[in-house]
Amino acid sequence: MNLSELTIKKAMIGLSEKKFSARKLAEDCLKNIEERNKELNVFLEVFDDVLAQADVADKIISSGEANPLTGIPLAIKDNILIKGRKCSSASKILENYTASYDATVIKKLKDAGVIFMGRTNMDEFAMGSSTESSAFGPTKNPFDLSRVPGGSSGGSAVAVASGMALGALGSDTAGSIRQPAAFCGLVGMKPTYGAVSRYGLMALGSSIDQIGPITKTVEDAEIIFTAIAGADSLDATSVDVSPTEEFSWPSRPSLRSARAGENSSAGFTIGVPRDFLSEGVDPEVLKNFEESLEKLRAAGCKIIDISLPLVKYSLAVYYILMPAEASTNLARYDGMRFGFSAEAPNLLEVYKKTRGEGFGREVRRRIMLGTYVLSHGYYDAYYNKATAVRGQIKHEFEKVFEKVDLIATPTAPTPAFKLGEKIDPVSMYLSDIFTVPANIADLPAVSVPTGKNKDGLPLSFQLMASIGGESALFSTARILEKYLPAGDLS
Ligand code: GLN
């Protein structure tokens, strides 16, 4: 057996029982990289010291000092800083930028003894839903090479789906963890806003971004989430939402019982926003969604219809707030401090040429949009209005969470689409229709694979919980996972 087929949990057990070494595990991942990275375009860089990292992990394991994650090979999205390594956000403007410090999540994983396989391809600055906007070519979906893997964390998803790493980190501002996980038959989890520190994440929308795991199983996602979660003095927006601790938010009895054991999801009430699901959803996606609801019902969950009339505005709100925040965040790339700097006769020309040549089309589009909505005279009409609507959407979710423990939708309206299919930006933006509300309302959400369509493409189910409700999410997602045909999980 190629050890890369193992789940993180099984590899952790195998390593601790000395059934195999961290070196052998890393070698098996490297073998898959060797065989398929060229074709799939997953890694922008495979680190040259993977085996040396594995040897260090083996020494730690044999000394008996190992942490549960010691020796586990992970892939890292190319917008998360690892000290001394390149980090480009898949952009020409940062092609040769080297990180000068570790992101907090990286520091935590380093301390845990994780092996970093390399940095994965993504949509440029995380702007996209297909990984096609990368300056370094698109990543391909391993289930069908003519299709996209989703995005923006497409490289991270394919690294896990094709056995190049056992798990990966992605970032999610509107679905960039959950949607590629869905397109590649994996679990993708977006934590509560602030549950994971964003120190060292290249920002897209600072009030929306979260880092989270992409894994083969719900349990693996929980393992990584637990390792990276927690308040951090270096990220003022971070809060403690560790699933192993009592949350500080107003506790609901059912959420409390979820922490007590695995089967406590029985009895959870799950709300389905029917109105929101009525248009533009692929019939096979809808059928699979209904079947998954039936499974949850059979497991003892109560399924009820809910109404979220404002949720349909989430995408519009996102496409005001995110470009505004992105245009501000990207202002620092002007050829002076970071990365690429164009030759030009004067300072203004250096700025213009550096940004004109360094940023790709989608990034330039969003900088223009963002600068416009923040400009004098329009700020109130756009940015402030969108912020106010965001507040109302949050409030609407709060109200619904007084009645339900979780909310369910499909993760994406369609399975993986064809490379080059969505040329019109709005059709691309619409693929986030079900994932973006959780970002707008700061909620934790998870995407779980729920089988395949008739063409063999993965289908997926999304659960959202109230702020701090990670534990309820994980325990309910685990129920669904049990129904996957054997062989779909290692
Ligand atoms: N598709 C979204 C966008 O293009 C996803 C962004 C994200 O989650 N990073 O903005």
Side-chain angles (χ1 to χ4, degrees):
M1 178 196 186
N2 185 310
L3 296 176
S4 67
E5 288 164 33
L6 293 173
T7 62
I8 292 176
K9 182 64 185 290
K10 286 191 178 149
M12 276 167 35
I13 295 170
L15 285 169
S16 72
E17 291 176 352
K18 307 224 166 45
K19 292 212 169 100
F20 47 81
S21 62
R23 177 175 255 266
K24 175 74 174 75
L25 186 57
E27 277 171 353
D28 282 2
C29 292
L30 285 172
K31 191 164 167 272
N32 294 333
I33 293 175
E34 180 113 344
E35 279 170 12
R36 299 205 69 195
N37 191 39
K38 237 196 168 114
E39 168 185 47
L40 297 169
N41 197 23
V42 178
F43 283 98
L44 295 176
E45 179 185 354
V46 179
F47 296 143
D48 56 8
D49 64 346
V50 166
L51 293 178
Q53 292 181 57
D55 289 342
V56 172
D58 277 327
K59 273 205 195 103
I60 296 172
I61 293 168
S62 51
S63 72
E65 307 269 289
N67 196 291
L69 280 170
T70 306
I72 299 296
L74 298 184
I76 307 296
K77 188 175 181 178
D78 192 35
N79 60 354
I80 301 174
L81 304 187
I82 308 179
K83 188 175 177 178
R85 309 267 191 201
K86 284 189 180 163
C87 190
S88 77
S89 264
S91 179
K92 283 265 176 241
I93 211 162
L94 289 176
E95 190 170 3
N96 294 312
Y97 171 70
T98 300
S100 55
Y101 63 93
D102 279 329
T104 295
V105 290
I106 295 298
K107 180 165 184 327
K108 288 186 178 214
L109 293 175
K110 268 189 186 168
D111 291 347
V114 154
I115 296 171
F116 297 102
M117 299 302 294
R119 48 192 184 92
T120 54
N121 200 13
M122 55 184 278
D123 282 296
E124 185 177 2
F125 284 106
M127 297 179 184
S129 308
S130 66
T131 314
E132 291 170 293
S133 81
S134 165
F136 307 107
T139 299
K140 296 188 178 149
N141 191 313
F143 288 87
D144 176 346
L145 297 181
S146 69
R147 290 179 189 268
V148 304
S152 62
S153 315
S156 284
V158 180
V160 182
S162 54
M164 299 174 178
L166 297 202
L169 290 188
S171 63
D172 191 313
T173 312
S176 281
I177 290 174
R178 290 160 286 158
Q179 185 253 24
F183 283 9
C184 294
L186 299 165
V187 174
M189 189 250 173
K190 180 247 165 217
T192 296
Y193 179 73
V196 174
S197 166
R198 290 164 311 138
Y199 179 69
L201 169 71
M202 287 179 182
L204 171 56
S206 307
S207 78
I208 330 174
D209 301 333
Q210 265 297 280
I211 297 174
I214 298 179
T215 54
K216 291 183 196 125
T217 64
V218 176
E219 187 175 39
D220 283 3
E222 197 164 0
I223 290 169
I224 295 187
F225 171 67
T226 307
I228 61 176
D232 176 14
S233 59
L234 298 169
D235 175 355
T237 65
S238 66
V239 286
D240 252 319
V241 188
S242 168
T244 53
E245 285 163 21
E246 199 62 26
F247 304 139
S248 52
W249 334 93
S251 285
R252 292 162 44 75
S254 50
L255 296 186
R256 257 198 310 265
S257 68
R259 281 168 227 135
E262 203 170 306
N263 293 323
S264 49
S265 300
F268 271 176
T269 303
I270 301 177
V272 182
R274 292 271 165 211
D275 300 348
F276 191 45
L277 305 181
S278 52
E279 265 173 65
V281 184
D282 175 282
E284 277 189 282
V285 167
L286 267 187
K287 183 166 170 277
N288 179 271
F289 176 70
E290 296 298 340
E291 287 165 4
S292 302
L293 284 176
E294 272 319 306
K295 287 167 187 165
L296 289 171
R297 202 191 310 268
C301 295
K302 192 172 160 205
I303 313 290
I304 63 166
D305 287 357
I306 52 167
S307 165
L308 287 166
L310 294 178
V311 79
K312 60 174 178 290
Y313 300 117
S314 303
L315 199 65
V317 165
Y318 175 74
Y319 275 96
I320 303 282
L321 298 183
M322 173 276 301
E325 295 182 14
S327 77
T328 312
N329 282 322
L330 297 183
R332 75 192 73 184
Y333 305 116
D334 57 5
M336 295 297 117
R337 260 187 92 180
F338 307 102
F340 170 68
S341 182
E343 297 275 335
N346 60 53
L347 189 61
L348 186 62
E349 287 304 313
V350 172
Y351 290 159
K352 282 169 125 175
K353 246 180 128 191
T354 299
R355 290 170 67 82
E357 289 171 16
F359 289 132
R361 214 178 146 76
E362 183 61 24
V363 178
R364 293 201 305 273
R365 181 185 349 258
R366 295 194 193 192
I367 290 173
M368 285 191 275
L369 263 174
T371 308
Y372 178 76
V373 302
L374 288 179
S375 58
H376 185 69
Y378 291 104
Y379 187 94
D380 276 338
Y382 293 111
Y383 191 82
N384 282 349
K385 187 73 162 277
T387 304
V389 178
R390 181 182 192 180
Q392 292 186 3
I393 293 171
K394 284 186 191 178
H395 184 67
E396 185 173 272
F397 272 109
E398 271 164 28
K399 281 269 165 241
V400 164
F401 279 121
E402 286 170 7
K403 288 192 302 222
V404 302
D405 299 288
L406 297 154
I407 296 172
T409 66
T411 308
T414 64
F417 46 88
K418 294 260 184 197
L419 287 153
E421 183 184 320
K422 297 200 189 284
I423 296 170
D424 158 33
V426 175
S427 74
M428 184 73 86
Y429 299 169
L430 278 168
S431 59
D432 298 326
I433 188 91
F434 296 134
T435 44
V436 71
N439 301 79
I440 291 302
D442 301 345
L443 310 174
V446 68
S447 173
V448 200
T450 45
K452 305 218 171 78
N453 75 357
K454 60 178 179 336
D455 298 323
L457 298 172
L459 299 171
S460 225
F461 189 90
Q462 175 180 238
L463 286 163
M464 290 176 255
S466 58
I467 286 177
E470 268 78 355
S471 187
L473 261 194
F474 285 129
S475 55
T476 310
R478 255 185 258 135
I479 300 182
L480 271 180
E481 184 176 64
K482 283 196 196 116
Y483 288 93
L484 272 183
D488 271 20
L489 295 175
S490 306

